[in-house]
Amino acid sequence: MNSWILAAQAATAVTLLLLSVLVVVWGKNYRQIRSRQTLGMLVFAVILLIENGFAFYVYSLDPVLSVWFSEQVPNGPWVAMAAFHVLEAVAVAFLTYVTLD
Amino acid sequence: MEAVLWYTLAGTRGGPNRIRILQALDNRPRNPNQLADHLDLNYDTIRHHLDVLADNDVIESSGDDYGAVYLPSETARANWDTVETIITQLDS
């Protein structure tokens, strides 16, 4: 089992959690402020949530792909993919930090 | 400034309360205690929102002394149509 997959799994799980927080905050705001801007933020967070949910499913739950990703994918590609997910988690973490203000 | 107004007032958890504060300050300048009374919010909550709004140059204080009143900043005034849009959408 490739240990980089663990980094990708952890990063997508953290991103999923943070995006759920953003969906709740922006959903509440949209209920109170029915504007295109508040709707835009909500839709953005929901779509990114779906993307991360899909990534998490593929890496951890899908019976064929999860095995393929953890055993067949060499280190090189994994370093790049794990970096994408970690950077995305950091970006969403900052957005959550300023949004909870 | 427009983006700052949208984010601080409509994009954050405290946004709706900050809209109420800005609305009250547009009505007339007030100090934190008067705002807490008027909006029925905790003094510390009011203080926090005032700090965020002042930090983003949406409001300014009349002085540094205790009881200084706050009012919308020049910049917020210059973009007041955006503020109005947000306020109207909160009311409806």
Side-chain angles (χ1 to χ4, degrees), chain A:
Chain A
M1 173 149 174
N2 194 304
S3 59
W4 286 102
I5 195 174
L6 293 173
Q9 283 168 334
T12 47
V14 168
T15 310
L16 273 175
L17 206 73
L18 294 169
L19 284 168
S20 313
V21 173
L22 286 177
V23 167
V24 169
V25 172
W26 289 340
K28 275 185 186 163
N29 280 4
Y30 179 62
R31 272 216 307 266
Q32 295 185 62
I33 307 162
R34 298 243 161 211
S35 69
R36 266 187 316 142
Q37 281 79 357
T38 47
L39 180 64
M41 289 186 275
L42 181 59
V43 170
F44 166 79
V46 168
I47 293 174
L48 212 58
L49 185 80
I50 295 171
E51 188 224 307
N52 276 277
F54 187 57
F56 188 80
Y57 169 79
V58 162
Y59 295 151
S60 315
L61 303 170
D62 187 277
V64 178
L65 288 178
S66 66
V67 176
W68 185 78
F69 272 114
S70 74
E71 282 163 17
Q72 304 295 316
V73 178
N75 254 332
W78 255 126
V79 173
M81 287 198 297
F84 296 151
H85 291 297
V86 169
L87 285 172
E88 189 176 318
V90 172
V92 173
F94 267 101
L95 194 57
T96 310
Y97 171 67
V98 298
T99 300
L100 286 180
D101 204 1

Side-chain angles (χ1 to χ4, degrees), chain B residues 63-74:
Chain B
D64 288 332
D65 52 313
Y66 179 79
V69 295
Y70 285 83
L71 63 164
S73 70
E74 292 285 315

Side-chain angles (χ1 to χ4, degrees), chain B residues 38-90:
Chain B
H38 179 70
L39 298 171
D40 202 21
L41 286 171
N42 186 289
Y43 178 85
D44 292 332
T45 309
I46 294 282
R47 265 261 58 101
H48 168 74
H49 290 317
L50 289 174
D51 287 344
V52 173
L53 288 171
D55 201 40
N56 284 285
D57 194 27
V58 179
I59 60 169
E60 58 199 22
S61 110
S62 64
D64 288 332
D65 52 313
Y66 179 79
V69 295
Y70 285 83
L71 63 164
S73 70
E74 292 285 315
T75 330
R77 287 268 170 239
N79 292 276
W80 202 254
D81 50 332
T82 303
V83 176
E84 291 269 76
T85 308
I86 303 172
I87 289 176
T88 323
Q89 271 151 347
L90 178 68

